[in-house]
Amino acid sequence: MGRLEGKVAIVTGGAGGIGSATGRLFCEEGARIVLVDRDADQMHSVLAEMRSAVPNPEVLGIVADVGEESFAKRIVDDTLGAFGAIDVLVNNAGIRSYEPLADAKAETWHAILSVNLLSYAYLTREALPALRRSGRGSIVNVSSTHAFNPRAGMGQYDVTKAGIVSMTRTLAFEEAPHVRVNAICPGATFTTFHKRRAEALSRSQEEVDREAATTCLLRRWADPREIAYPILWLASDEASYVTASALMADGGRLVI
Ligand SMILES: NC(=O)c1ccc[n+]([C@@H]2O[C@H](COP(=O)([O-])OP(=O)(O)OC[C@H]3O[C@@H](n4cnc5c(N)ncnc54)[C@H](O)[C@@H]3O)[C@@H](O)[C@H]2O)c1
């Protein structure tokens, strides 16, 4: 038996680094999954990869901008139409911004709040009736180590990640005991995004590696699968007594 056998899960940002690793692991563990992402090309290749790596995966891809409130109902309706239930919601879609707060533009604030925070709120609201019906519903909100450990230059992002932890705790309170709600706080996780950003800034792989080596106890970047495993645990019945938590998966960054 897989650890998510019989469950239906939605993963937003499902074509990205952590989202696609999570979707794939969930599939391997027996879940029927819905990946949601606004990047149609990337979604296409992630689905193709999953279908060749996992025998008979039950997976639906939805191309949608989760920052648009109207898509939340459509995502829930399509999931119920395809699989008839929702047991797990992983709110994971995220964007970054690199404006110091002194220069932060209204346009950037609105964009990052709508994806990193409001999309979590909209999709959660629409999915809650089905999650309550599940009887073992679990929401995992992807925050960041920087919710607790802010830095200069990414204030807007860090504010949204702190907001996710706060939203998680309030929701856990409001939805107990029927739906468990937890946050996961990844540290530096190496994805295609970071590879491309390093290339754009002409930074060598050595420089990129050195950055992670000096900022966490484990002295390296995480692989997206190392974040997918704690998400899997929080989503599964193995974490049946865990709610309102913010699980650090940051290689020990907080104590440095
Ligand atoms: N990678 C890290 O180091 C790290 C660290 C801490 C937290 N996180 C968080 O983990 C989550 C996943 O990050 P990742 O590293 O996999 O990033 P990523 O950029 O690889 O993936 C993010 C995905 O979200 C999708 N997305 C963005 N806006 C969207 C929208 N409006 N509608 C639908 N899809 C949208 C993107 O297309 C992309 O596929 C994010 O919330 C991020 O903040 C990442």
Side-chain angles (χ1 to χ4, degrees), residues 13 15-19 36-39 64-67 92-96 115 120 142-144 157 161 186-189 191 193-194 221:
I18 292 172
V36 185
D37 206 288
R38 67 177 171 190
D39 186 332
D65 179 345
V66 291
N92 165 73
I95 58 174
R96 297 151 177 104
V115 179
Y120 288 37
V142 180
S143 172
S144 164
Y157 176 91
K161 294 299 172 181
T189 308
T191 64
F193 171 87
H194 292 100
W221 289 79

Side-chain angles (χ1 to χ4, degrees), residues 180-219:
R180 295 184 300 104
V181 191
N182 293 288
I184 174 124
C185 301
T189 308
F190 203 70
T191 64
T192 308
F193 171 87
H194 292 100
K195 189 166 179 287
R196 289 198 187 126
R197 182 167 153 78
E199 281 162 9
L201 297 172
S202 304
R203 297 175 69 207
S204 66
Q205 188 62 44
E206 208 175 40
E207 287 172 280
V208 173
D209 288 344
R210 199 174 319 125
E211 182 192 323
T214 52
T215 52
C216 80
L217 295 181
L218 296 183
R219 305 175 67 80

